[in-house]
Amino acid sequence: MADLSSQWYFSLSALASTPSESPRSRELYDRARGIEFLFRLGSSLALPTSAMCTAATWFHRFYMRYSMNDFHRQDVAATCIFLATKTEECGRKLRDVARVCQAKIHNTDVNNIPPDGKEVEQCQAAILLTEEVLLEAICFDFVVENPHSHLVDIFDAASTDDLVQEYAWSISHDSYRTPLCVFFPPKIIAAACYVLAQRIHDGPNSPSLDARISAAAPSMSLPTPPTHKPPSPDATRFAIEHFQLTENELSSVAVVLTILLDFYNAQAVDTYPYISSIVSVTPPTSSFSDRLYAPFSMMAQISSSEMTTQEPVESRTPNSSHGGRTPAMGT
């Protein structure tokens, strides 16, 4: 029987043919902003990580089938959160989601948003309208796996430094600010996050990413008795061996690492000094060499010049009817 989850994995070339009409760098910037809004909304509603990751996955799946020009990212983010509160058994009232959503939009405390205000009513209506399209876009497929569950398996199987765990967990969160979840399985993303976390923790004089994800550890080339598997020389290859990744999967891990580092390099280090240790990491040798991200500071200036005021909710979503256009699937 075919793996039903495979319908959600696209080839990277699909980024050039999504329904959105914006340049690729602009779409990726807006996706990242949408996920940032989604995470802020989920955190304010005190949702578990699993619910926010599920919502983020649906967000990216939605925009593989519908245009960002037709459905505002904030409405889609709020809708994904609301649906996730139902499927992940952490229910929140629609009005509460709408109030927190408006509080985030207006950058104010939720207590300043009247429960029966016009904007809250409009936000609720927008969420319910968008939910109909979202359910169709995700084909009522509510089962979503996330990289965090695989990271927990690694943490349980290895004596991992707490700081490495913290790094890996944060990078896994950041992976949703990219559309990696619609291109690669969670296991591949988790392995990349863990390897990158180890490399950051170990410092610039430690083995490179290429060495950490190579098909064979150096000692594997030495003659050994057929009944003995030589151990890795250190813990830097633990994730690779834990998941027993094939060469094709290792190639995918290299691509994920390349895209993650591209994303981090697009951030302003002076604004986010904590990423300085990440952007100094040399990307691995990868079959994917395209630069996907333009500097976010530049994209923010472009965005500000295009829209200086917040659009009213009623004028945003949706501008199109059902029937999204889906790019070609990965093979």
Side-chain angles (χ1 to χ4, degrees):
M1 181 179 294
D3 182 2
L4 296 179
S5 66
S6 63
Q7 70 169 311
W8 298 120
Y9 296 124
F10 299 81
S11 65
L12 283 169
S13 62
L15 276 176
S17 56
T18 62
S20 300
E21 298 173 359
S22 305
R24 185 174 65 181
S25 58
R26 175 58 187 270
E27 179 180 346
L28 291 174
Y29 172 70
D30 284 340
R31 282 182 183 246
R33 293 172 71 196
I35 293 297
E36 175 64 26
F37 182 81
L38 184 152
F39 281 160
R40 289 172 57 210
L41 182 56
S43 296
S44 294
L45 289 165
L47 300 186
T49 296
S50 59
M52 289 192 283
C53 292
T54 293
T57 300
W58 288 338
F59 180 92
H60 285 297
R61 290 179 180 179
F62 182 89
Y63 284 121
M64 296 306 289
R65 294 183 170 173
Y66 289 91
S67 173
M68 301 196 81
N69 305 95
D70 293 334
F71 294 87
H72 196 281
R73 63 182 180 276
Q74 291 173 343
D75 294 329
V76 174
T79 303
C80 290
I81 283 288
F82 179 57
L83 182 59
T85 65
K86 293 187 280 187
T87 64
E88 296 293 315
E89 300 181 354
C90 52
R92 300 292 188 274
K93 293 179 180 179
L94 173 60
R95 187 173 300 276
D96 291 340
V97 175
R99 285 186 71 200
V100 175
C101 182
Q102 287 301 302
K104 297 304 176 187
I105 289 173
H106 295 290
N107 194 28
T108 187
D109 188 272
V110 69
N111 294 318
N112 296 328
I113 305 296
D116 300 318
K118 179 182 178 182
E119 287 188 331
V120 171
E121 295 293 337
Q122 291 172 342
C123 187
Q124 289 183 90
I127 290 173
L128 292 176
L129 267 174
T130 309
E131 186 179 46
E132 295 182 16
V133 191
L134 173 63
L135 289 169
E136 180 183 285
I138 66 173
C139 304
F140 292 84
D141 183 356
F142 303 131
V143 179
V144 176
E145 191 181 7
N146 62 67
H148 296 74
S149 61
H150 291 281
L151 285 176
V152 170
D153 289 342
I154 296 179
F155 299 160
D156 290 342
S159 300
T160 308
D161 186 281
D162 288 346
L163 199 54
V164 173
Q165 293 188 21
E166 182 181 333
Y167 288 163
W169 200 261
S170 297
I171 295 168
S172 185
H173 261 63
D174 285 345
S175 74
Y176 283 105
R177 292 177 166 83
T178 77
L180 283 170
C181 62
V182 294
F183 299 119
F184 299 99
K187 179 178 75 172
I188 299 299
I189 298 173
C193 292
Y194 189 83
V195 168
L196 181 55
Q198 280 190 312
R199 170 60 182 79
I200 296 166
H201 177 268
D202 295 346
N205 296 322
S206 64
S208 66
L209 291 179
D210 276 329
R212 293 168 188 265
I213 63 173
S214 60
S219 60
M220 294 288 283
S221 61
L222 300 176
T224 56
T227 56
H228 294 81
K229 180 180 179 181
S232 293
D234 52 46
T236 63
R237 295 178 52 81
F238 180 82
I240 302 306
E241 296 183 353
H242 175 78
F243 289 128
Q244 298 183 329
L245 300 179
T246 65
E247 288 194 30
N248 285 338
E249 289 174 326
L250 289 172
S251 296
S252 294
V253 170
V255 175
V256 171
L257 286 166
T258 299
I259 293 174
L260 282 172
L261 290 171
D262 186 21
F263 167 78
Y264 282 120
N265 275 279
Q267 315 305 312
V269 178
D270 54 343
T271 304
Y272 307 104
Y274 63 89
I275 67 170
S276 59
S277 60
I278 305 178
V279 299
S280 64
V281 175
T282 302
T285 303
S286 168
S287 60
F288 185 79
S289 57
D290 289 2
R291 290 295 301 271
L292 296 178
Y293 289 91
F296 274 31
S297 57
M298 180 182 74
M299 299 306 300
Q301 290 176 357
I302 295 174
S303 179
S304 297
S305 66
E306 291 178 353
M307 187 178 70
T308 56
T309 58
Q310 175 67 43
E311 298 173 78
V313 173
E314 67 271 20
S315 70
R316 289 203 312 238
T317 301
N319 293 330
S320 69
S321 60
H322 289 251
R325 176 173 62 84
T326 305
M329 303 297 296
T331 55

